[in-house]
Amino acid sequence: MNTLRKYWAIFQITLINSLAYPGELVGRSLMIVPFMWIFYQLWKVTFAAAGTDTINGMTLHGTMWYLMMAETIELSRPQLARTISENVKDGSIAYILNKPYNFLLYQFSNSMGETVFRAVMNAVFGGLMVWWLAGAPPAPLGWGFAILALFGTWIMNFCIACLIGLSAFLVEEVSPFMWIYQKLVFILGGFLIPLDFYPNWLQAIAKSLPFAYMIYGPSKLFVAPSVELLVNVLSMQAVWILVLGAILTLSYRRGVAYLTVNGG
Amino acid sequence: MRHLKFLLAIWQANLQSVMEYRVSFLTQVVGMMLNNFIYFAIWLIFFDRFKDVRGWGASDMYVTFGVLASAFGLVSLFFGNAFVLGDIVNNGRLDYYLSLPRPVLLHAVASRMITSGMGDFTYGFISYALSGQFTWDGLLRFILAILLAAVVFAAFLILVNSLAFWAGVVSSFTNLMINAMVTFGIYPITLFDNYAKLILFTVIPAALMGAVPAEYIRAASWQTLGELLLGAAILLGLAVTVFRSGLKRYESGSAIQIEV
């Protein structure tokens, strides 16, 4: 119980820190507004050109709220990989390692503290914009299911971002891995285009990889909630969290074994 | 001419500095190209499914994405500090440039090279080559269009960041504007109505970085070239004027620092 309290305190401190600069928080969250506006222009024209209200089971209203959730997830991700790689490169990891907490759980609590308010602010601004453009938000059940799946998304993102950050033990520059990870989430997660609009073969590939359960899963649950989809998304998230968590733990142990700290 | 020699010397020093870490340099260049390839694949998926957006197809996207990526890369490579000019103002780091007998704005923005810009710059040419619209005279227009689009983008960055002289910390606002510029620049111009187009030619001049240069590359037209030249000249003049006007309000941080 004491262990949990420790990480809960770390989470709270970061959360309070993120509220210390409300102007910065609001400014950053406003970024979702022009994105939602341009998505609306694109999909409005696309649906009109298709001459139908529904494309592969998605309406314009559903597509816009799907994209709002997808944007909220993406824009709320903290720069965890960059932080960890800086910790590794400048040696400040040594100051964290000798503290009475687990490095990975510390980073997780820290990153969650940053994520939560960003997500709320992005959902508020993005939601208001989409409400104005496309109509009222989905039913409360969608919100509930999506929030459940969001926890899995955040844990999966944490595992991958941590792995990229820890790769600084082996390579000089981790930025390219971060860019490519982000673009894989874009394309295979269904971030800019819902996976429903993809050709079948690409949908099959995307759904056999973790990215689809980070963006598409929660966003689809948001606009088309069903118990069957919820079970599918949560179970696939659990599988990927086990796989990614195991790889992360092993990589962390090997990385720390490499670490040489000179002086202080 | 004197300024050009000065710029060449700075760029040479910047290049030597980034080339010191060759593996990092190469990783960033190749990584950025790969990043752009994957990002563009989303548009290929879109156009494979929906064919065109009011007459705008995948081939047009290749050209627009190409010119925008190369212009972005060019500014990153040669005027990397233009992205963070607001932070430089806020942190009192203009002191260093003010104390030297060189043009302050030019010196400040040219003093940093963002390595990944080389990946963006190169990718732009590949994108144009793959567009199916490649011609040799088109390539010359592509190069001219990149230069003018880069002037537009650099001027926009200077303008937005110069608000720091009046408003203080503007990093969130700057990021918002850069994202808006790049995003609106890539999306098909045919999506927007007349009011939105007015914004895209003035407040966020994304059309002058994407759609208009792309139009000029596709078909030589004095009118399109004139629009681009006029837009670039007005924006650059405005950026320099606003920066100079803001500079009068600049207060030194009195911090002792060394620029490396």
Side-chain angles (χ1 to χ4, degrees):
Chain A
M1 197 60 190
N2 261 346
T3 312
L4 271 183
R5 206 174 294 158
K6 194 161 55 183
Y7 298 110
W8 179 249
I10 295 166
F11 166 77
Q12 281 179 312
I13 291 167
T14 322
L15 194 68
I16 294 164
N17 271 346
S18 70
L19 290 173
Y21 304 100
E24 178 76 9
L25 186 64
V26 170
R28 198 180 286 187
S29 309
L30 280 174
M31 215 172 281
I32 198 170
V33 172
F35 285 136
M36 296 323 301
W37 182 74
I38 201 164
F39 285 157
Y40 180 67
Q41 304 298 322
L42 177 68
W43 290 105
K44 186 178 68 172
V45 170
T46 305
F47 272 82
T52 171
D53 291 338
T54 310
I55 301 174
N56 292 22
M58 294 280 277
T59 59
L60 177 60
H61 172 266
T63 305
M64 285 310 297
W65 281 103
Y66 169 99
L67 291 169
M68 193 285 290
M69 182 53 74
E71 279 286 332
T72 296
I73 293 168
E74 176 57 24
L75 293 176
S76 313
R77 281 198 300 136
Q79 299 284 333
L80 185 62
R82 190 185 304 280
T83 308
I84 294 179
S85 76
E86 292 302 326
N87 287 165
V88 171
K89 283 196 273 190
D90 66 16
S92 57
I93 190 171
Y95 294 103
I96 305 173
L97 284 176
N98 65 8
K99 297 282 189 303
Y101 44 62
N102 177 290
F103 175 79
L104 294 177
L105 290 177
Y106 165 80
Q107 293 292 357
F108 180 69
S109 315
N110 206 24
S111 72
M112 286 307 295
E114 275 186 56
T115 305
V116 169
F117 258 105
R118 274 197 210 170
V120 171
M121 295 300 287
N122 277 307
V124 168
F125 287 117
L128 286 172
M129 187 68 181
V130 175
W131 196 335
W132 178 57
L133 292 169
L141 186 67
W143 289 89
F145 281 10
I147 288 169
L148 276 178
L150 272 182
F151 289 107
T153 295
W154 287 334
I155 298 171
M156 287 166 76
N157 175 62
F158 169 78
C159 293
I160 298 175
C162 247
L163 275 168
I164 293 172
L166 290 175
S167 66
F169 278 119
L170 303 172
V171 294
E172 275 179 34
E173 187 57 67
V174 303
S175 307
F177 300 121
M178 283 155 46
W179 303 329
I180 292 165
Y181 163 53
Q182 187 198 39
K183 295 308 174 301
L184 286 174
V185 170
F186 279 19
I187 193 167
L188 296 168
F191 169 68
L192 292 171
I193 306 172
L195 290 186
D196 308 76
F197 299 160
Y198 283 26
N200 289 336
W201 63 270
L202 193 52
Q203 280 192 42
I205 293 175
K207 286 177 183 173
S208 62
L209 293 167
F211 313 109
Y213 304 99
M214 296 170 69
I215 299 279
Y216 176 77
S219 306
K220 184 75 180 178
L221 276 170
F222 183 51
V223 295
S226 74
V227 175
E228 190 190 350
L229 183 61
L230 180 71
V231 171
N232 175 257
V233 171
L234 293 185
S235 54
M236 288 308 291
Q237 282 184 340
V239 170
W240 280 110
I241 287 169
L242 279 176
V243 173
L244 293 167
I247 298 171
L248 175 60
T249 311
L250 283 174
S251 308
Y252 171 67
R253 283 185 188 157
R254 291 202 67 173
V256 172
Y258 273 120
L259 185 68
T260 309
V261 179
N262 299 308
Chain B
M1 198 58 187
R2 202 160 55 94
H3 292 337
L4 188 64
K5 275 176 75 175
F6 167 64
L7 273 179
L8 286 173
I10 288 190
W11 290 335
Q12 191 182 4
N14 286 346
L15 186 65
Q16 284 169 343
S17 166
V18 297
M19 287 301 279
E20 190 180 347
Y21 303 99
R22 282 176 196 223
V23 176
S24 168
F25 176 82
L26 280 174
T27 316
Q28 290 205 48
V29 172
V30 175
M32 184 49 80
M33 288 173 68
L34 199 57
N35 171 65
N36 288 341
F37 266 117
I38 300 173
Y39 181 61
F40 193 73
I42 296 170
W43 281 108
L44 295 181
I45 293 168
F46 179 86
F47 283 109
D48 179 58
R49 174 73 176 78
F50 298 108
K51 304 310 169 201
D52 75 89
V53 176
R54 288 187 179 153
W56 192 279
S59 170
D60 304 303
M61 282 304 294
Y62 271 111
V63 179
T64 313
F65 196 88
V67 72
L68 195 130
S70 286
F72 187 98
L74 206 58
V75 176
S76 308
L77 276 175
F78 294 116
F79 301 103
N81 265 346
F83 288 86
V84 289
L85 192 59
D87 292 337
I88 292 174
V89 170
N90 274 317
N91 298 333
R93 282 168 50 209
L94 271 186
D95 293 9
Y96 171 79
Y97 303 103
L98 282 164
S99 63
L100 294 172
R102 293 293 179 190
V104 178
L105 178 60
L106 199 62
H107 191 178
V109 294
S111 290
R112 177 172 165 238
M113 183 172 273
I114 301 172
T115 318
S116 58
M118 180 63 88
D120 282 318
F121 182 71
T122 315
Y123 178 81
F125 283 85
I126 297 172
S127 187
Y128 175 56
L130 293 174
S131 68
Q133 300 186 27
F134 180 90
T135 57
W136 289 107
D137 60 321
L139 180 63
L140 294 177
R141 289 198 299 278
F142 184 79
I143 293 167
L144 180 59
I146 288 170
L147 292 173
L148 291 171
V151 171
V152 168
F153 187 48
F156 178 73
L157 290 176
I158 293 166
L159 255 178
V160 172
N161 276 292
S162 293
L163 294 178
F165 287 117
W166 289 272
V169 179
V170 289
S171 51
S172 284
F173 177 73
T174 310
N175 283 337
L176 176 70
M177 294 309 269
I178 294 173
N179 271 314
M181 182 82 168
V182 174
T183 309
F184 292 153
I186 291 171
Y187 274 67
I189 189 93
T190 49
L191 286 177
F192 307 110
D193 59 22
N194 287 337
Y195 292 113
K197 279 181 186 157
L198 183 67
I199 292 172
L200 296 182
F201 276 94
T202 52
V203 185
I204 305 167
L208 294 171
M209 196 184 167
V212 178
E215 182 59 40
Y216 175 65
I217 295 160
R218 276 193 296 270
S221 147
W222 288 109
Q223 189 192 331
T224 321
L225 181 61
E227 280 174 19
L228 251 182
L229 278 167
L230 188 67
I234 290 173
L235 271 167
L236 189 60
L238 198 62
V240 173
T241 308
V242 170
F243 180 84
R244 282 185 182 160
S245 159
L247 196 56
K248 289 177 189 158
R249 298 172 54 91
Y250 177 68
E251 291 174 13
S252 162
S254 298
I256 298 169
Q257 55 202 340
I258 301 166
E259 291 291 320
V260 285

